[in-house]
Amino acid sequence: MPLSDTVDDWSDEAFFAELKRRLPDDVAAAMITGPSIERASRRCARFVCEPMRYGNLFLAGDAAHIVPPTGARGLNSAASDIYYLYHALVDHYHSGDDRGLDAYSQKALARCGRASDSRGG
């Protein structure tokens, strides 16, 4: 599969055949396929959702920010989000202290910005 391939170079059948080749046999055999409804290719770009909190919904990891895999920082950023959110939730439920929840988005975004703006590996 050369890097020069485009989505137009791949039929639905060819795509699913390649996908099944990469999956365990039992999973591939159970897969039900059909015609694709979307055929697009996107460059992997940086995406950050601000704020990372909407009422009682807290976003973390790829739900909140996507960084190109070439930087190898996605998992570290997600783990950092969970670290901040975990401690904020413990404080909320153990002592009714909402300061960590209120600061979660700003704190996580500050680190996320540093991670996703970094260059190189």
Side-chain angles (χ1 to χ4, degrees), residues 23-116:
L23 295 172
D25 291 339
D26 59 327
V27 174
M31 184 188 289
I32 299 171
T33 65
S36 59
I37 58 171
E38 175 67 30
R39 294 184 55 122
S41 174
R42 299 191 92 171
R43 250 186 58 216
C44 188
R46 177 178 182 263
F47 167 79
V48 178
C49 180
E50 295 183 55
M52 291 173 55
R53 177 184 183 177
Y54 297 90
N56 289 328
L57 172 69
F58 294 86
L59 301 177
D62 283 352
H65 45 78
I66 300 173
V67 294
T70 54
R73 289 177 171 76
L75 180 60
N76 289 338
S77 294
S80 176
D81 293 348
I82 298 305
Y83 176 85
Y84 297 146
L85 189 54
Y86 165 79
H87 287 287
L89 288 168
V90 166
D91 290 345
H92 169 78
Y93 285 108
H94 282 224
S95 61
D97 182 357
D98 286 345
R99 289 177 294 175
L101 293 176
D102 293 338
Y104 167 71
S105 184
Q106 182 179 3
K107 189 172 187 178
L109 283 168
R111 185 187 187 289
C112 171
R114 286 193 302 273
S116 57

